[in-house]
C-alpha cells in the first residue's frame, strides 16, 4: 500500500521514536489545536475528496467523542507535535487521542504503548497486527475499534472484503493457516483467557510463529481488550472519516 | 499502612516521576541485575523472615516465569535503576517486569502506563485501584494478577479477608455502596463490555464518582483486561513471596 | 428514499402480489437467466457507477456463493420473472435467491415468506424491519445477512452510520425509545428465546406497539434467525455490490 | 407407523401439493371453522379415547393459544380446505395454524414452507426431520415445538423413549453415527451459528449425507429456530392432545 | 392425591423414620432382591395395568442402568427392607437406588438425605420440592431426574401439564407468585450460584417464605445439582415405568 | 502429612463409623456446645499459635455464619460427641456444621455423606478428593468451600502453591496426567453436566481410573455442586482460622 496515496492512521515515525519524542519535552511551540473534547474540528472534517460530507453533514450520531465531561488539557509539546503530525498526514486527529487528551501522562503512555505495539519492530506485519485488533474488537463488539481498525485492515490489505469479514465474523475470511491460527489464538484469549494453555502456543509455533511472535500476538490482543473496554466504558465515537476509507 | 513495615510492591516514587525517570536516560550505571528471564535470583528470594523458604525451596511449580523463550535484554539505565529500586524496597523484582525485560521499549511503556494508572493522581485511592485489579482478574481467572494484586489488597487494606473475598467472589465482600458500584462496573465491563451504557455510568455518578473517576475505573479495569491476557497467554508465574504477604 | 435513485433490493410489487405471481404459474417464457449457482453473472456485476469494480474485480473471497454443490434448477416461470425483475431493478440477483434456486418449491416459499414479512403490510416501516434483520444478524454474526441488510438499513435510513451501528453493536446507536425497545426485544428473542415473557411484550406495548406489531417484530426476528443459520450452515456469500452501497 | 391407526399431525397430501392447493384459490366453500383465536373448539377436543378429558377439562393452563390479541381472519378457500383436512385426519387443527390465521398471507406462506420442509422430497426421512425439530427446540427450550414435535417423534419412530430423550437431552439417546452427526450439526447451528464451518459439513459428508441433505438439515434446523422464536415471543400453547399421543 | 390410588415413588414412612430404619440395623432377613446392577427385574417391570409393556418390551434404550461396571453389594438389612417397601408400594425399585447399591454406606447416606429433604418436615409441600427438583434438572438437562421427578410432579399436582412445563421451560407454567419466586431462586442458584445474594433471599421473604423455607429451597436445589451430576456422569437411566405415569 | 502435626479438618474416625455413631443414638451426655448459630465461640477462636488473632480480632467480615435466622437445635448425643471431637482435634467446629445444626436430621445426613465421600474407602486419595472439591468450588466461585478446602489441599499436599492454583485456575497447576484428567472431568461435569458422555469416562479410564473411581470422582464433584449452592444461597462464611492454615 503506497503511503503517499492512502493516508495512514499512524504517525510516520515508529513507536520508539514517538515515545521518545513525547517524553523528551519537545521544543515545538505548544498551542492546543483543539478547544473541546466534545467535537473538535478534527472530528468532523474529513480529508477533502475522501467523503461526501453532504451526506454526513455534522455526524450528530457520533458526537460528542465520549460520554464523560473531561476538559481537554494543554497539550505537552510532544503531544502538540504529534497531533500536528496526525493532522498533516491523516487530515484529522483520531478521536481516541482527543479522548485521552484531558491528561498528558495518560495520553503519552497510551501513545507510547500503542505505537510500540502497532508500528514498532515485530515479526508480525502491520496488517497482521490490525487483523488481530479487529478480530478482538469484533468479539468485544467495540464500535470505536471496529470502525478505526476495520478501516486500517481495508487500507493495509487493499482488500475491503477482508475488513468486512473480520468485523463481522473472522471465520468467514479465507485465511492462510498462519492467519487463522493467529486469530483463533487472539479470539480465544479474548473470550476465555483462563483456558489458554501450552497446546494453544504450540499451535502457533507449528504454523511458524516464534516465541517472540507469540508475545506480540498476545500483547496486541491484550491491548485491544484494554482499548475496547475504555471505549465501551466511555461510549467513545470514531471519526466519521473512517467509515468511507478504502471501501 | 506504614510503608516502613510492609514492603510495598510499587516503587516509592509515583507514576509520573517513574515514567520520567525511565525516559530521561537515567545516569545510573547500567548493569543488568538478572541473567535470565527464567528464574532470576530475585524470583526465588523472598525477603528474609517473610516466608519459610524450607517449604518452598525452589518454587518449581512456578518456574520458569513465562512459557516463552525470550532472552532478557540489557536493561536501559532507567530500567536498571527501577529494578534496583524494586530490589531495595521490595526485596525482589516483580516477575512481570522480568517477563517484559526482553525488550526495553515494551518494558518502559508497560512500566509507564502501570505506574500512572496505579500510583498516579486519581480520585480513586490506591486500594480502590487494587480492588478493581483483583475483581477483574478474578473474572478472568488470572493466576499471576490474582496473586500479586491479591497481596496488594491485603497490604493496603490491612484486611486479609478483603483480599480473599475479591480473589474468590467479590460479591461476598461487605462493601460500601461506592465500592460495590465500582466493582460491579469493572466486572461488567470485563465480562460483557458491549453492554455497558449510560445507565451504568449514571450508577457510578449516583454514589459519588466524578466523570474523571469513571475514566480511571474504566482505565484500570481495561488495563487488567490487558495484563490478565498477556499473563495467561504466556503462562506468567508470580514471585513466590506474594503468597505469604499480609496474611 | 426515492426509489428511482437508489436501487431497491426488493421487487417493486409487494409480498402478496409476488407470492401470487410465483404460485400462479406465470406465463412468462421460462428461460433460466443464470447458468450456475456458483458465481452467476449477476453476482459480480454491480450497478454501473455504484462501485469501483476495478478494486473488486472478481471477488474471489466471496465465491462460490455457497459451500454446497447444488445444481441450479430450471426456474419456474414465476421465478424467472422475479429474477428478471431483480436484474432490472437492482442490477443483480441477490445471491440468497441463487442459493435457493436448486429447488423451485424451496425458492418460491422462501421468496413468498420473505416478501410478505419484509415488504408486506405492517405497522412496522420497512426500515424498522431491516433494523431488526441487522440487529438479529449481528447477534448471530451472520456475514451474508449483515452485508445485505446492513446495506438496506443504510439505504432506507439515508444514515450510513445507523447501518454501521447495528452491524457492530446496536446499543451504540442513538435510537428512539420505540426503536430501542424493538431491538432489545428482537435481540433477547435471538439470544435466549426461552426467557421472553409477558413483561417483554408489555415493554413493547408501552412504547406504542400494537399486538399485531409485536407479532411482526417476532416474525421478522424469527425469520432472520432462520436465514442466519441457513447462511452460516452453507457459508453463503453476499453479492459484492452490497459492500459499497449507500456508504 | 400405520397412518390409518395413528392420527398424523400432517395433511395426507405432501408439501408441494398442499402449497399448490393453498395458492390455487381452492373452490371449497369458504367457511371459517373457528371463531376465535383464543381457544377454538379444535384446541380442546382430543380424539375420542385418546385422552382422559376429565383430567384436563378445559386446559386452562394452555389457553389462550397466544398472548397477543389478534382477530382470526376469514380463511381463504385453500386454508379452509386445509383446516378441514386437519380436522378430518388429526381430529384437531394444530394451534400454530390458528395462531397464524389472523392473516392469510402469513398463514399460507408458513404452511407452504412448513409442508415443503417437513413433508416434501428429501434425503432425510420424515422422522429425521422431526428429530432435528425436537433437538433444536430443546436447545431453545420451546414449549410449543417440544410438545408438538416430541409427539411426532414418538409417533414416527414408534419409540416413545426417543421422543423423551430428544426433548430432554439428545445426547442421552443411543443414536446411529448418522443421526448423532445430524443432531450435533443442528444443535451447534442453533447454539452458535457463527462457528459452523467446513469441518462441520465434512463430518456430515463422512457419515453419508449429500450436499442436498446438508441443505435440508440446515433448512429444517433454521426453520425451527424461527418457529421456536415466534412461539416463545407469543407464548404459543400446544393443543392438549399432543401430550398423550404415542406414549 | 390419594395414596391408595396413585403409586407413590417414595416409601410410606417419611424421611426421618426411613433414615432411622436404615441405620437401626433392621431385622428383616437380608436377601438381595436384585442380582445385577444392570437391568434388575424391578427395572423393566411396570406396575400391572399402568403401562403397555408390549410397546416397551425390554427398554433397550435405557439399559443398563449406568455406564459403569459396579457389582451390586449385599444389601444391608435396612436397605433390603427399604427395597422391599419400594417394590410393594411402587411396584419397582427406582434405578437410582440400584445404581448406589454397589456400596451400602453410599446407598444409606443417599437414602437418608433424600428422604429427609424430599419427604421430611418442611414449610414446603412435597409438590413444591418436586417442582424445584424438576426446574433444576431442566436447567442441567438431566434425563434421569427429569423423568423420575417429572412423573412425581404430574402425580402430586394431578396436573400433567405442570410436569411438562417444568421439564421444558418452567417460565411457561402459570405459577403463583410464590412458586415463581421459588423456582427463579432455584434456577438462578443452579445456573450462577456465585450471583445469589441478599436481594434474592429478600424476594423469597416477600412472597412469604421463612428463613427455614429458604434453607429448604436451597438444600433441595443443591441436592439435585448433586444428583443431576451423578446421573449425567454415569449415564444413569430411569425406570421405564415413569414415562407413562400420570399422563 | 503427619496427623499429629497438622490439625486435620476431619474427625479421626472415618465416615462409616461416624455415620453409625450419629445414628446409633449415642450415650454421650447431650450438651449443646454452641449457643447460637450466629458466631459461636468456636468460630472466632483459632487454635492457639496458628493465627495472629490481633490482626483478625473479631472477623466481622465473616459473621454471622449464614444470612438466615435459624435457631441452633439441641445437639443429638452423636452430634455433640462429633462436635467435641472437632473441637479437640481441630480447635474449632467448622462453620458448615454450625450452619446445619438447626436440625439434627439434616446435620446427621450431611455429616454422614460428607464423611463417607471425603474420608471413606476410595481409590482416590484424600488429597485427590480435596482437589476435586476446590476445582469444583472455583468453577462455582464458592467462598466458603474455596476457603475451607483450599486449606485442606495446602495441608494434605504440603504444597501451598497447589492450593492457590486450584482456587484461582486449576489449569495453571502442573498436574500429572491422572490429576489433570480427573479435574477436567470434575469441572466439565460442573459447568455443563449435560455434555458429559462416554468419551469423558473413557479418558479417565485411559489414565488408570477404575469404574469405581469414576463414581467417586463424580460423587465428590456432585457433592460440592450441592454444598457450593447451599453455601452461596445462605451466604455461608468460613471459620477465620482456615485463611492462615498451611501457607
Amino acid at each position: 500500500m503506497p503511503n503517499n496515496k492512502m493516508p495512514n492512521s499512524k504517525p510516520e515515525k515508529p513507536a520508539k521514536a514517538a515515545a521518545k519524542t513525547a517524553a523528551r519535552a519537545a521544543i515545538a511551540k505548544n498551542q492546543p489545536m483543539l478547544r473541546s473534547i466534545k467535537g473538535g474540528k478534527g472530528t468532523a472534517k474529513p480529508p477533502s475528496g475522501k467523503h461526501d460530507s453532504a451526506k454526513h453533514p455534522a455526524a450528530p450520531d457520533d458526537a460528542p467523542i465520549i460520554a464523560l465531561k473531561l476538559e481537554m488539557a494543554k497539550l505537552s509539546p510532544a503531544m502538540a507535535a504529534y497531533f500536528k503530525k496526525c493532522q498533516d498526514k491523516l487530515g484529522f486527529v483520531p478521536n481516541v487521542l482527543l479522548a485521552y487528551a484531558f491528561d498528558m501522562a495518560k495520553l503519552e503512555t497510551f501513545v507510547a504503548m500503542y505505537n510500540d505495539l502497532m508500528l514498532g519492530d515485530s515479526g508480525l506485519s502491520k496488517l497482521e497486527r490490525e487483523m488481530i485488533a479487529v478480530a478482538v474488537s469484533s468479539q468485544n463488539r467495540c464500535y470505536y475499534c471496529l470502525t478505526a481498525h476495520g478501516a486500517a485492515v481495508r487500507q493495509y490489505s487493499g482488500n475491503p472484503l477482508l475488513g468486512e469479514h473480520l468485523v463481522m465474523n473472522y471465520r468467514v475470511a479465507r485465511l492462510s493457516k498462519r492467519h487463522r491460527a493467529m486469530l483463533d489464538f487472539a479470539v480465544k484469549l479474548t473470550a476465555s483467557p483462563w483456558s489458554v494453555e501450552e497446546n494453544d502456543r504450540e499451535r502457533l509455533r507449528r504454523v511458524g510463529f516464534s516465541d517472540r511472535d507469540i508475545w506480540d500476538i498476545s500483547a496486541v490482543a491484550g491491548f485491544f481488550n484494554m482499548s475496547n473496554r475504555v471505549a465501551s466504558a466511555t461510549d467513545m465515537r470514531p471519526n466519521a472519516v473512517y467509515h468511507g476509507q478504502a471501501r
Side-chain angles (χ1 to χ4, degrees), chain A residues 31-217:
Chain A
Q31 289 182 329
M33 306 159 50
L34 299 151
R35 289 298 144 195
S36 161
I37 204 163
K38 292 184 284 176
K41 209 171 62 177
T43 312
K45 189 176 145 240
S48 62
K50 290 286 166 195
H51 208 250
D52 180 358
S53 66
K55 277 176 64 185
H56 314 283
D61 280 346
D62 276 348
I65 292 172
I66 59 169
L68 303 178
K69 294 192 182 176
L70 298 174
E71 281 300 301
M72 195 167 165
K74 190 166 179 301
L75 289 175
S76 66
M79 289 297 104
Y82 181 55
F83 278 34
K84 185 170 184 314
K85 181 184 300 186
C86 289
Q87 191 70 47
D88 292 346
K89 294 281 177 187
L90 308 174
F92 64 100
V93 177
N95 282 353
V96 66
L97 300 181
L98 298 174
Y100 272 90
F102 70 92
D103 183 283
M104 283 306 106
K106 295 185 191 314
L107 177 61
E108 292 187 2
T109 56
F110 176 83
V111 166
M113 185 178 282
Y114 179 88
N115 284 342
D116 172 60
L117 278 175
M118 299 303 283
L119 301 168
D121 284 344
S122 171
L124 308 179
S125 73
K126 289 175 189 173
L127 171 59
E128 287 173 330
R129 288 176 266 179
E130 293 288 349
M131 289 169 70
I132 294 169
V134 177
V136 165
S137 301
S138 177
Q139 180 66 31
N140 287 333
R141 301 184 183 281
C142 176
Y143 171 52
Y144 185 94
C145 301
L146 285 171
T147 301
H149 296 279
V153 166
R154 294 195 304 269
Q155 289 183 343
Y156 278 122
S157 69
N159 180 357
L161 287 189
L162 181 61
E164 291 297 86
H165 293 162
L166 298 189
V167 163
M168 293 173 181
N169 181 358
Y170 79 97
R171 296 169 196 86
V172 306
R174 297 203 173 116
L175 301 169
S176 65
K177 282 198 178 178
R178 171 184 169 90
H179 286 166
R180 180 60 193 253
M182 178 183 83
L183 296 187
D184 280 347
F185 186 91
V187 169
K188 181 177 183 182
L189 187 60
T190 299
S192 56
W194 53 84
S195 71
V196 172
E197 296 193 68
E198 185 61 16
N199 60 339
D200 298 296
R201 287 181 290 270
E202 272 306 311
R203 190 178 158 215
L204 290 179
R205 291 185 188 109
R206 277 198 302 275
V207 296
F209 287 109
S210 69
D211 275 24
R212 167 60 198 268
D213 295 339
I214 296 174
W215 178 281
D216 287 359
I217 294 170

